[in-house]
Amino acid sequence: MTVDSPRPVLPPGHDRRSFMAGIAEFRKAIGEDNVFVEEERLAPYTKIMIPGEDADHAPSAAIAPASVPEIQAILAICNRHRIPVWPVSTGKNFGYGTAAPAMRGTVVLDLRRLNRIIEVDGELGTALVEPGVTYRALLDHLKAQDLPYWIDVPAPGPIVGPVGQILERGIGYTPYGDHFAHACGMEVVLANGDILRTGMGSIAGAKSWQTNRYGYGPYLDGIFSQSNFGVVTKMGLGLMPRPEVYKPFLVSFPNHGDLPRAVEIARDLSLRGVIRNTPVVGHVLYMIAMKARRADVFPGEGSVTDEWITQFTRDHHLGIWVMQAALYGSAAQVAADWALIEQAYAKSGAMLLTDRELGDEPTWQHAKRLMAGELDLDEFGLYNWRGGGGSAWFAPVARATGADATAIVTLGKQILAEFGFDYLGGFMVQQRNMIAVMDLLFDRSSPDERKRAHDCFARLMSEFGKRGYGIYRTNIAFMDVAAALQGPVRMNVNRTLKRALDPNGIIAPGKSGIHL
């Protein structure tokens, strides 16, 4: 295939001639080597993992600018030719769509070449970074400068970056785990090429851009998260001061029926400020799947049963529900909080475990690293559970109550079992609310299994929506469905903002179900 022979995928409303006219202008603006139309060069942008069809999310091209002026030039070309673009930072949004666009034919706008750590304030603990900066690069920078700060990372931390994670309102595992809450100041290129700096950033010579997130007037940062209203090119974030003492721990609950107790104790400790990071209440099968292949441990057909899990945990001296959290602070503060932890779990019927009991156990070491802002890719072991490369995260939001937790697991298991899939999930408890994450793993190479996974995910969305559980975020195949759960008024407001800020609809059409 020659450089002038694009794949047979075109943006809506284009024929080959009109599309290649836009491609020629992209090449002139950012260099021929940074415009990809060949199949082999587009391969990184087409692996979706989710239970959808590749063709539905196939990009027509990908372009990789290296600066804000180049992005402005690209958007001008997009407006002239009505070519839509799908911005990605590192393009590693596994289980949600990776780098592929929601709408077939959209050009991927790959921002990985914008990879500068622009500034780190060692006194105040802030950083200003571009979209292509990974957590690995930022952590290496802090260590090289011997700065006394931690970062907060998601599970695939080494290969993803804070800008994309913050814009998706991702969650981590330290006291800075609400990533969006610890962001401060954005630079956004709007569809017309204007550059907006939010917060205090619009002030000439701003001195508090990364320290005052609100600025004057309406607070705008939120409309650029999980949206398609602009292209974020810089992001400020707070860094966590390195604590004097870090004490991670794990609480193992032996019975299926212990889930309400596990959630409610974690919620209470979180509300009282004893636990300041994100307590994670996880199901044992999630931890088993990180280390084992399903065929090696479960011989049966259909979904893994509660009876099998009960026997397996007894044979291997495991709990069925496990809560992991950590304490941070001075020696005196951690000692006082640890006494409260011991008191909270004294009559719970659970086992309170630390390094002394857990030692080098791999999933424990993984949890310890995440809660200290360290990096690994151990959680990718999940993809070996069934094999076949299929993954779709289902993540409803609920009140942090035992009754909600039980209802979610009961319904989730029922629907997953109906389609022959396993419940692998848990709860990220954030004081009064919690994110109920489930990873729908399936063999994407099997057309039958891919269809069953799609139908299963659709049923999960529908049935949870009927019961009032909205979705924290979702994959590119179900964004319209998730948006519809929010109701017509919310969707109309989003559409109104889209029309005002991007009247030609060139930025990420369909993102979060937002269309013109």
Side-chain angles (χ1 to χ4, degrees):
M1 181 174 288
T2 69
V3 77
D4 289 319
S5 258
R7 61 207 304 253
V9 177
L10 297 169
H14 279 270
D15 58 23
R16 184 182 183 280
R17 182 177 180 179
S18 65
F19 179 55
M20 290 309 295
I23 290 293
E25 292 194 34
F26 289 144
R27 289 171 173 159
K28 184 176 180 179
I30 67 173
E32 187 170 305
D33 288 344
N34 302 309
V35 179
F36 316 138
V37 294
E38 308 92 334
E39 290 280 0
E40 59 272 20
R41 299 186 76 188
L42 286 174
Y45 307 100
T46 60
K47 183 177 177 59
I48 61 175
M49 296 182 76
I50 63 172
E53 296 302 319
D54 292 346
D56 293 339
H57 305 285
S60 55
I63 50 181
S67 68
V68 168
E70 287 188 356
I71 292 173
Q72 291 174 297
I74 285 168
L75 294 180
I77 295 166
C78 290
N79 276 305
R80 283 197 299 273
H81 292 272
R82 299 297 194 269
I83 294 176
V85 289
W86 182 267
V88 299
S89 52
T90 60
K92 302 295 191 297
N93 203 8
F94 297 111
Y96 289 106
T98 323
M103 187 180 75
R104 175 182 168 87
T106 303
V107 173
V108 176
L109 179 61
D110 186 343
L111 304 178
R112 60 188 162 87
R113 296 176 65 214
L114 279 77
N115 58 7
R116 294 181 302 154
I117 299 172
I118 297 166
E119 180 184 18
V120 173
D121 187 326
E123 181 179 7
L124 297 177
T126 65
L128 181 64
V129 301
E130 291 184 323
V133 172
T134 63
Y135 283 105
R136 167 60 68 195
L138 182 56
L139 184 59
D140 288 349
H141 179 87
L142 296 180
K143 289 182 175 180
Q145 300 297 317
D146 195 26
L147 295 173
Y149 296 102
W150 285 2
I151 60 175
D152 190 282
V153 299
I159 57 176
V160 302
V163 172
Q165 176 74 357
I166 288 167
L167 291 176
E168 289 296 322
R169 300 200 291 271
I171 301 169
Y173 303 92
T174 78
Y176 280 43
D178 184 343
H179 292 161
F180 193 82
H182 291 92
C184 188
M186 298 180 186
E187 178 183 87
V188 187
V189 181
L190 301 178
N192 66 1
D194 286 350
I195 297 174
L196 169 69
R197 289 190 169 185
T198 66
M200 285 294 180
S202 60
I203 304 296
K207 301 185 186 305
S208 55
W209 190 19
Q210 272 69 68
T211 59
N212 184 296
R213 65 199 306 250
Y214 299 115
Y216 175 76
Y219 174 63
L220 299 176
D221 296 55
I223 69 169
F224 296 105
S225 68
Q226 293 191 11
S227 77
N228 53 10
F229 302 146
V231 179
V232 176
T233 52
K234 294 180 181 65
M235 177 82 75
L237 61 147
L239 306 170
M240 176 181 161
R242 185 169 60 216
E244 176 188 333
V245 175
Y246 164 57
K247 187 178 181 68
F249 62 96
L250 181 151
V251 186
S252 179
F253 290 84
N255 303 308
H256 293 280
D258 290 333
L259 175 60
R261 186 179 301 112
V263 165
E264 290 176 355
I265 296 175
R267 178 198 66 204
D268 180 62
L269 290 167
S270 180
L271 277 171
R272 291 194 287 135
V274 179
I275 295 177
R276 295 188 297 114
N277 71 327
T278 304
V280 177
V281 178
H283 190 261
V284 67
L285 192 59
Y286 191 96
M287 299 171 192
I288 295 170
M290 285 176 57
K291 301 182 294 182
R293 292 176 66 250
R294 187 180 193 270
D296 294 337
V297 295
F298 181 72
E301 298 294 327
S303 61
V304 173
T305 64
D306 284 354
E307 293 74 19
W308 179 88
I309 289 169
T310 299
Q311 189 61 51
F312 186 92
T313 54
R314 288 175 180 171
D315 291 345
H316 293 82
H317 309 291
L318 301 171
I320 289 176
W321 293 100
V322 175
M323 196 286 293
Q324 64 189 40
L327 302 179
Y328 310 79
S330 67
Q333 180 182 7
V334 169
D337 285 341
W338 184 246
L340 295 173
I341 295 291
E342 291 182 313
Q343 180 183 0
Y345 289 103
K347 298 180 181 180
S348 67
M351 294 178 63
L352 181 57
L353 307 170
T354 64
D355 262 334
R356 184 175 59 187
E357 296 83 16
L358 295 165
D360 294 330
E361 198 281 323
T363 55
W364 166 242
Q365 291 299 317
H366 168 68
K368 277 180 59 181
R369 284 190 287 272
L370 287 181
M371 292 189 291
E374 292 288 345
L375 303 166
D376 71 28
L377 292 173
D378 288 6
E379 216 152 313
F380 279 18
L382 287 171
Y383 299 139
N384 296 322
W385 175 245
R386 294 184 77 105
S391 171
W393 290 97
F394 179 65
V397 182
R399 303 177 307 157
T401 72
D404 281 279
T406 299
I408 285 169
V409 171
T410 300
L411 181 59
K413 283 184 177 181
Q414 173 190 322
I415 294 171
L416 289 161
E418 180 183 342
F419 292 90
F421 299 114
D422 303 319
Y423 172 79
L424 297 103
F427 299 86
M428 305 186 81
V429 182
Q430 300 177 299
Q431 296 191 343
R432 295 175 178 86
N433 87 96
M434 58 189 180
I435 309 297
V437 291
M438 306 176 202
D439 195 359
L440 172 54
L441 297 175
F442 62 99
D443 181 355
R444 201 168 185 281
S445 67
S446 163
D448 171 69
E449 199 152 317
R450 188 167 67 244
K451 183 181 186 304
R452 281 194 288 117
H454 182 277
D455 293 346
C456 179
F457 202 93
R459 181 76 60 81
L460 288 167
M461 293 282 285
S462 173
E463 294 301 322
F464 275 82
K466 289 176 184 176
R467 291 160 175 80
Y469 294 112
I471 307 301
Y472 145 68
R473 61 198 274 205
T474 196
N475 65 68
I476 53 176
F478 285 88
M479 287 181 167
D480 287 355
V481 178
L485 293 176
Q486 303 290 326
V489 174
R490 175 74 172 269
M491 293 179 70
N492 189 53
V493 169
N494 288 343
R495 189 177 299 113
T496 300
L497 289 169
K498 181 67 171 173
R499 287 171 176 162
L501 293 173
D502 183 12
N504 292 323
I506 61 168
I507 300 176
K511 170 69 176 176
S512 295
I514 303 170
H515 304 268
L516 283 178

